[in-house]
Amino acid sequence: ARMHSRGQVARKIVRFRMEEEAFPHAGAPVMDESGTVVGIVTSSTESPVQSGACIGLALVKKPWFEPGRVVSIPAEGATRLARVG
């Protein structure tokens, strides 16, 4: 009802691609450039179609829906960059 009355959604599932070969776990936070949590990783895997790149899905807040946005995700012991796509 809230979505229909406001005419927009607050969160959306988007795909992402890690900039480095590192796999985030489900439940890892998705952060903006200042370190503020803007979402959560729901799943990730290796893509054989994209030369073995790590891809995944995340539930993020509205300003980070747009393709091309860069976010940070903790993966394999470090915070790494990912691109929403």
Side-chain angles (χ1 to χ4, degrees):
R2 177 181 281 176
M3 183 174 65
H4 291 289
S5 68
R6 293 186 180 173
Q8 60 186 355
V9 295
R11 293 185 179 99
K12 184 177 176 180
I13 293 180
V14 296
R15 63 186 171 121
F16 65 86
R17 179 179 177 168
M18 299 298 290
E19 296 288 326
E20 302 175 33
E21 292 186 23
F23 293 91
H25 294 288
V30 176
M31 299 172 284
D32 64 7
E33 59 277 349
S34 66
T36 303
V37 175
V38 297
I40 189 167
V41 173
T42 59
S43 62
S44 67
T45 190
E46 181 180 354
S47 172
V49 176
Q50 296 182 3
S51 302
C54 177
I55 60 170
L57 297 174
L59 182 65
V60 296
K61 294 179 182 177
K62 185 175 181 175
W64 289 270
F65 289 2
E66 299 98 23
R69 293 292 300 252
V70 176
V71 293
S72 300
I73 302 173
E76 298 182 9
T79 300
R80 303 177 192 269
L81 297 179
R83 188 168 302 274
V84 173

